[in-house]
Amino acid sequence: MEPVTKTETLDIEGMTCASCASFVEKSLSRTPGVQRAMVNFATEKATVDYVPTQASPATLKEAVINAGYGVVERAPDTSAAERSAEIDRQKAVAYQKLKRRFGVAVGLALIIMPLSMLMLWPAIMQRINMQWLNYALLLLTLPVLLYCGREFYVSAWNGFKHRAANMDTLIAVGTGAAFLYSLAATVVPGFFTSRGLMPEVYYDTTATIIALILLGKVLELRAKTQTSAAMRSLIGLQAKTARVVRPDGAEVDVPIEQVQLGDLVVVRPGEKVATDGLITEGSSALDEAMLTGESLPVQKQVGDPVFGATLNKTGSFRFRVTKVGADTMLSQIVKLVEDAQGSRAPIQRLADKVSAIFVPTVVVIAILTFVLWFDLAPAGTRLPLALVNFVAVLIIACPCALGLATPTAIMVSTGKGAEHGVLIRNAEALEKAYQVNTVLLDKTGTITKGEPSVTDFWTLPGQEAGQLLQVVAAVERQSEHPLAEAVVRHAEAQGGANLPATGFRAVEGKGAAATVNGQVVLIGNRRLLADEGVSLSPTLITQAEQLLGQAKTVLYIAVAGQAVGLIGVADTVRATSAAAIKKLQALGIEVVMMTGDNAETAAQVAGQVGITRYFAEVLPADKAGKVKELQAEGRTVAMVGDGINDAPALAQADIGLAIGSGTDVAMEAAGITLMRSDLGGVVTAIELSRQTIRTIKQNLFFAFVYNTLGIPVAAGLLYPFFGILLSPMLAAGAMALSSVSVLTNSLRLRSFNNH
Amino acid sequence: MDTPAIMVTVIGLALAGFVLWYFFFSARQTANAVSSSSGVQEVAITVKGGYSPDVIEVERGKPVQLSFYRDEENSCSEELLMPDFSIRRDLPAFKTTLVELLPKEAGTFTFTCGMGMLRGSLVVK
Ligand SMILES: [Cu+2]
């Protein structure tokens, strides 16, 4: 048998020529277990096929290091947890550096400001040499420029080389112009005085703007780290180790990365499930809230799936690993949320277009402002006025608020959604969900549980009901029919004995028979009893007809040749459905139901949950057609479904919501996936989308108004009428506040809670 | 208008014209992807005040691996967005971040920094 190989890509460090590459390649090829190694010098990557039982990423790395080269940890191969930890660490370092630069800027600005104001007191000014004071200010400003504000100039220059202009460009050009003008006034004041100008300096403007913008950045960075908090806590849920049962029966704790498919893993009460798998032994109640948002623990037994990162509450069990790494449910959720955070909402498109052309346009506006002021202002003050307005335009126009408006809101809300078990595929889905005015529910599996359960247990007078139920359960336990399962579940919920049954036989399409307590027990449809020669009493027939009238399936019970009771089975409405539908209606949304059932059953279920409009007897193939029908009425339709046959309807709807961790096909077709199997998620999704879009609109409004109103004011448009000019320092303060307020507004979504 | 005013006007207008031309109309740097032996189209991009190269041509239907090396610490470039492929990545400074995608349709897809100011485009043929 061909051994199963794995492929690993390594980033090689330190190769200087093609012969290095072939050397690394040889050294890897010689490593035991390696079947094929290829090293690409240009991309500095090695692709290695190896047999996992003989080699591991660690031994491969060792081989490279032995050859004298290094292996760089490759970002996508490290787990999401490590990757985010590394990025967090870097961000923390950057934050510390930023705070230090901000501290220095504030300290120096606090000295520069009062010194610059000395000229307001002529008495003091007479005793001080202007020239000397200017040089002192220059010395104090230099560190602010070269240390605190260095990043702006470097970034602006790098951008300029790439013909890209960013917000740093504006700050750099603005403060740079104020500084250079002041520098000239300090070094060659004669040039100014000879032309009848006061050699004014703007060191205080330069220093204060830099300090204020750094303040904005400090606050921005602090808020930004909070926007991804939900995601990070999700990634942090991953278990670090798993207790694997070795073939010899020994239990060993191994790092999660080393767990392989097919491994047997033990989970004790209070422990986290390491990865996804199927229970092979034992049973327990698991808290799956981290994945589904469902707060009640879920009972699991042999054969049931368990998911990594969920919490084992009560019992201890063993499970067989079916998924590891990126395939696990948690990783898929993380991936889905990450994807959603990378997507752009249609509402953002305008802002994107504006951002792209914004900075160069502002630079042009600033230049024109300078020219106009220079040409129109009185000769004695035209240069300083032109300069001050030029700087003010550049500083206030910084479009960071615009850039932050949508992404931060999307970041917070998608993370929040995941916390509630609502997975949003992309920002467009979020925006669509906001517009929904009609929700179409597929009855089975959404309003109802989608599986039969016992609704009635009726016995002839004189029968011991509890006893009879256990007798019936004894027979049904041996059957695999879904109806039989429902009966067993019902009996187990009532508690009681686990009776032995012998001579079990299933009668195709009719029911089953077995001997319990020495008596032959029959359970099945009317045909079964007729075939076995059991007659039905009139009361039993009336009772059965009543159940059939309620669209229930009826099972007949006979013991020792006597018909003694009836079981009514139906797909029952979920306990949460009515409340969720009521909430949707309260949000102004019309809820419509569709079902394959006959009109009578449909009416009954609809009435039970408060739905007035429904489609009955809808064939699976016609589901998408019903969505179209509603859309033709001019409605924006959200379709909620769970099954594979709902996929076309989910895709046809303006927004599809797949319910339950359901089928992949349904998930593919849906814009939103609800991990929890009840309609509460639909309410959460719609409320969340409404709040998010509202926040985005507020943000965009704020950013747009701020920039479009701010620029003309800074350019001095109000001056001829009201004598209002915007000081560059005020502009810097306003600009710092704008992005902070947009972020704060987005962070308000963190308090979203629909319970 | 006196001489300085005329000078400022002329220089100012020239400068404004230059800014518009330089940022909007000048030629861009284009690069083609290199196909590796495994059929992956690989492109190395340096992020420093912009993306170089900033126009990348790839073929449709073949996986693309973009390796972004961020050669600066400025916050402007710390995020990478490729909205058409639903990709948002943090680019750690002085590190290479791999971005993999499969272009299924031909067209020009922009990628930008978090605020949409640094821009590049992926041209799928
Ligand atoms: Cu800004």
Side-chain angles (χ1 to χ4, degrees), chain A residues 671-686:
Chain A
I672 296 177
T673 301
L674 309 170
M675 300 295 291
R676 204 160 23 129
S677 297
D678 71 52
L679 288 178
V682 180
V683 183
T684 309
I686 287 177

Side-chain angles (χ1 to χ4, degrees), chain A residues 38 43 45 74 76 86-87 90-91 97 151 155 158-168 217 220 224 339 341-344 355-357 359-360 363-364 367-368 370-371 374-375 382 399-400 403 411, chain B residues 1-2 4-5 8-9 12-13 15-16 19-20 22-24 26-28 37 42 48-52 65 72-76 78 81 83 86-88 90 92-93 95 98 100 114-119:
Chain A
M38 257 179 24
T43 58
K45 275 191 193 55
R74 185 167 165 255
E86 164 62 21
I87 286 168
Q90 266 209 9
K91 281 189 174 162
K97 273 193 200 163
E151 188 194 348
S155 167
N158 285 335
F160 184 76
K161 283 194 295 189
H162 281 89
R163 300 166 190 234
N166 52 42
M167 45 183 277
D168 289 342
K217 289 216 162 198
E220 190 182 307
K224 257 185 170 175
D339 281 356
Q341 294 182 336
S343 66
R344 282 294 221 219
S355 284
I357 57 161
V359 175
V363 173
V364 169
I367 293 172
L368 296 180
F370 187 95
V371 168
F374 193 89
D375 289 352
R382 64 185 182 182
C400 37
M411 287 274 271
Chain B
M1 269 213 261
D2 56 357
V8 163
T9 311
L13 291 178
L15 214 56
V19 168
L20 290 178
Y22 188 75
F23 287 108
F24 296 138
S26 59
R28 303 268 150 175
S37 53
E42 294 176 350
K48 191 176 183 181
Y51 303 102
S52 38
Q65 187 186 60
E72 63 179 353
E73 269 186 302
N74 301 308
S75 57
C76 263
E78 73 186 358
L81 286 178
S86 271
I87 289 168
R88 191 196 72 82
D90 282 307
K95 288 226 161 67
L98 297 182
E100 274 134 5
M115 289 189 191
M117 269 172 284
L118 311 184
R119 304 175 82 80

Side-chain angles (χ1 to χ4, degrees), chain A residues 337-585:
Chain A
V337 177
E338 275 180 348
D339 281 356
Q341 294 182 336
S343 66
R344 282 294 221 219
I347 196 172
Q348 172 79 0
R349 274 192 204 126
L350 180 61
D352 276 350
K353 280 200 185 119
V354 173
S355 284
I357 57 161
F358 201 81
V359 175
T361 310
V362 166
V363 173
V364 169
I365 293 175
I367 293 172
L368 296 180
T369 304
F370 187 95
V371 168
L372 280 175
W373 275 97
F374 193 89
D375 289 352
L376 301 177
T381 52
R382 64 185 182 182
L383 188 55
L385 275 175
L387 180 77
V388 165
N389 291 313
F390 172 77
V391 176
V393 168
L394 290 174
I395 300 298
I396 199 149
C398 182
C400 37
L402 201 59
L404 291 170
T406 317
T408 51
I410 303 275
M411 287 274 271
V412 178
S413 74
T414 47
K416 197 75 204 173
E419 248 173 57
H420 285 82
V422 174
L423 300 183
I424 298 154
R425 179 166 288 273
N426 52 37
E428 197 175 345
L430 205 57
E431 198 171 327
K432 274 287 179 205
Y434 159 81
Q435 295 158 342
V436 161
N437 55 23
T438 306
V439 170
L440 180 60
L441 302 172
D442 179 50
K443 189 207 87 184
T444 311
T446 59
I447 300 176
T448 64
K449 287 178 185 149
E451 56 180 27
S453 52
V454 173
T455 52
D456 302 82
F457 184 65
W458 185 87
T459 55
L460 280 175
Q463 290 289 327
E464 172 56 62
Q467 172 70 23
L468 183 61
L469 181 60
Q470 294 310 324
V471 169
V472 172
V475 180
E476 296 288 53
R477 218 168 254 127
Q478 315 221 8
S479 166
E480 272 161 9
H481 199 275
L483 290 177
E485 272 174 37
V487 174
V488 173
R489 245 193 339 264
H490 182 68
E492 270 167 4
Q494 312 279 317
N498 200 342
L499 301 173
T502 53
F504 175 81
R505 108 190 120 88
V507 187
E508 188 68 38
K510 291 173 195 159
T515 309
V516 184
N517 292 343
Q519 291 178 311
V520 174
V521 179
L522 295 174
I523 176 149
N525 56 20
R526 207 167 162 168
R527 289 252 314 277
L528 176 77
L529 269 67
D531 290 355
E532 302 284 329
V534 180
S535 57
L536 302 175
S537 67
T539 40
L540 206 78
I541 292 172
T542 340
Q543 192 63 38
E545 269 161 7
Q546 203 181 322
L547 289 177
L548 288 167
Q550 292 165 13
K552 286 169 182 166
T553 307
V554 178
L555 296 176
Y556 297 82
I557 309 164
V559 178
Q562 292 286 314
V564 291
L566 297 170
I567 298 178
V569 181
D571 184 8
T572 52
V573 169
R574 284 182 208 280
T576 51
S577 294
I581 288 165
K582 207 168 168 189
K583 265 193 194 165
L584 286 174
Q585 287 162 341

